[in-house]
Amino acid sequence: MSQRVRTAVFPVAGLGTRFLPATKAMPKEMLTVVDRPLIQYAVDEAREAGIEHFVFVTGRNKGVIEDHFDRQFELEATLESRNKTEALEELRKDLPSAGRTSFTRQQEPLGLGHAVWCARDIVGNQPFALLLPDMIFRAKPGVLRQMMDAYEETGGNVIGVEECDWNDVSSYGVVVRGEGEDRSFRINGMVEKPKRDEAPSNLFISGRYILQPEIFSLLAEQTKGAGGEIQLTDAMQTLMGQQRFTGVKYQGKVFDCGSKLGFLTANVVFALDREDIRQGFVQELRKLDLDDAI
Ligand code: G1P
């Protein structure tokens, strides 16, 4: 039987340069899609998948993330005195339980692989989930939940993948598909940000992973790869020589909120999904003379 996955790592140290000036003093993970910060979507998804311990790899300027996952007594008291019970319940529901969060810092921006490695002592010798909070999903059940179901059958390492436009492969890690079924198959290789004509497929790694702890010692020795950064993809490619990697082509769709277009689209789609917003929002959209803008 596969060892249960109880811990999730959230790398939140990135500088968010693509969203300046919004992210000059505010972490990009606190940008909101409708009324929830990006990081909250990732934490909710992890919780739905049964995760109990939330590990954040932060950096300078990221203190608000820690505050976001703490209680705010003054605010709670005010909401209580104003009988805003719904808002109060919403805040409490979002909060991980006491002692179930950990924060560590990535001191230098050396890449995703290095950020994950920074969590090694907190995670210890157990499998863990990794969620990149830039990527949020419209999926039911959540993507990590779907991957956990696959993991219970296969064990090893599990990577969430989705098809992208061939013009976009050079923005992501891309996998080599091996034998298996349509939605769950062996991964035989992977490459970080390949050129379009060198990409082995258009199945890209969309920011959700279940990894075995042996990845940490490989990350410790990993040399710089694509973009001069220590790449998680390169360490996974090495681990593939020793352990099984399964690709899960989950049901659902990713929104890459690390890009302006993905972020804006996510706001529209998630607003349209909300019972309390949809009708009014559609009315406002209809009033816009979009032909004028195009
Ligand atoms: C990282 C990973 C890449 C993955 C992507 C998903 O790249 O290295 O394999 O496809 O996240 O967002 P980054 O976005 O940090 O350049």
Side-chain angles (χ1 to χ4, degrees):
M1 220 180 81
S2 332
Q3 194 183 344
R4 225 188 113 209
V5 182
R6 297 179 56 247
T7 299
V9 174
F10 303 84
V12 292
L15 295 174
T17 47
R18 280 190 277 182
F19 278 91
L20 284 169
T23 48
K24 188 177 167 198
M26 184 186 73
K28 64 172 172 168
E29 296 78 14
M30 293 303 289
L31 291 170
T32 52
V33 169
V34 190
D35 50 9
R36 299 170 80 67
L38 289 174
I39 187 66
Q40 186 76 55
Y41 287 92
V43 164
D44 291 348
E45 184 188 332
R47 200 191 276 127
E48 180 202 347
I51 293 296
E52 295 167 0
H53 184 187
F54 306 83
V55 180
F56 300 87
V57 181
T58 74
R60 279 179 291 283
N61 264 348
K62 303 282 182 167
V64 227
I65 296 178
E66 203 162 338
D67 293 341
H68 181 75
F69 291 108
D70 193 4
R71 289 189 69 176
Q72 237 272 37
F73 289 106
E74 224 173 80
L75 176 65
E76 289 177 28
T78 311
L79 291 174
E80 211 157 333
S81 70
R82 293 184 188 165
N83 276 328
K84 301 225 176 233
T85 30
E86 222 174 282
L88 196 60
E89 268 165 32
E90 186 76 11
L91 283 187
R92 290 193 174 143
K93 174 172 75 59
D94 290 345
L95 209 60
S97 344
R100 292 290 170 86
T101 51
S102 298
F103 297 84
T104 187
R105 278 198 180 202
Q106 183 188 25
Q107 294 155 330
E108 288 174 85
L110 295 178
L112 176 62
H114 179 258
V116 173
W117 179 75
C118 288
R120 68 198 179 283
D121 277 2
I122 302 178
V123 173
N125 190 27
Q126 56 167 338
F128 63 100
L130 171 67
L131 297 94
L132 311 189
D134 279 0
M135 311 298 266
I136 65 170
F137 297 84
R138 189 165 179 254
K140 260 202 181 114
V143 168
L144 190 60
R145 177 71 265 164
Q146 296 182 39
M147 289 166 59
M148 289 284 202
D149 292 343
Y151 171 78
E152 273 155 30
E153 303 218 332
T154 62
N157 303 270
V158 179
I159 311 290
V161 295
E162 185 173 327
E163 273 164 4
C164 68
D165 194 296
W166 279 92
N167 290 321
D168 293 334
V169 286
S170 56
S171 303
Y172 300 109
V174 177
V175 305
V176 182
R177 190 191 171 118
E179 82 265 16
E181 290 156 26
D182 178 43
R183 296 215 164 266
S184 174
F185 43 82
R186 282 268 187 155
I187 293 179
N188 290 339
M190 50 178 71
V191 43
E192 184 65 19
K193 303 195 172 67
K195 292 196 183 118
R196 185 197 152 120
D197 47 0
E198 287 165 10
S201 77
N202 65 341
L203 284 170
F204 79 103
I205 301 170
S206 60
R208 297 296 181 268
Y209 313 72
I210 296 170
L211 295 170
Q212 296 299 319
E214 286 74 21
I215 196 77
F216 289 125
S217 53
L218 296 173
L219 285 170
E221 291 159 16
Q222 190 59 55
T223 49
K224 290 179 180 169
E229 298 190 333
I230 297 175
Q231 295 291 353
L232 175 64
T233 304
D234 296 342
M236 291 194 296
Q237 171 71 53
T238 309
L239 187 56
M240 218 172 286
Q242 305 151 28
Q243 292 183 358
R244 181 190 172 113
F245 274 72
T246 304
V248 170
K249 202 170 123 199
Y250 48 79
Q251 312 237 16
K253 180 178 163 31
V254 71
F255 294 88
D256 181 352
C257 294
S259 86
K260 286 185 183 113
L261 282 186
F263 175 72
L264 293 170
T265 312
N267 264 290
V268 173
V269 172
F270 280 69
L272 290 172
D273 272 348
R274 283 268 294 263
E275 290 288 329
D276 57 332
I277 297 177
R278 184 190 309 130
Q279 208 186 354
F281 189 43
V282 168
Q283 275 171 12
E284 290 304 319
L285 288 175
R286 288 213 168 107
K287 277 192 230 159
L288 293 176
D289 194 350
L290 285 176
D291 289 342
D292 233 24
I294 295 166

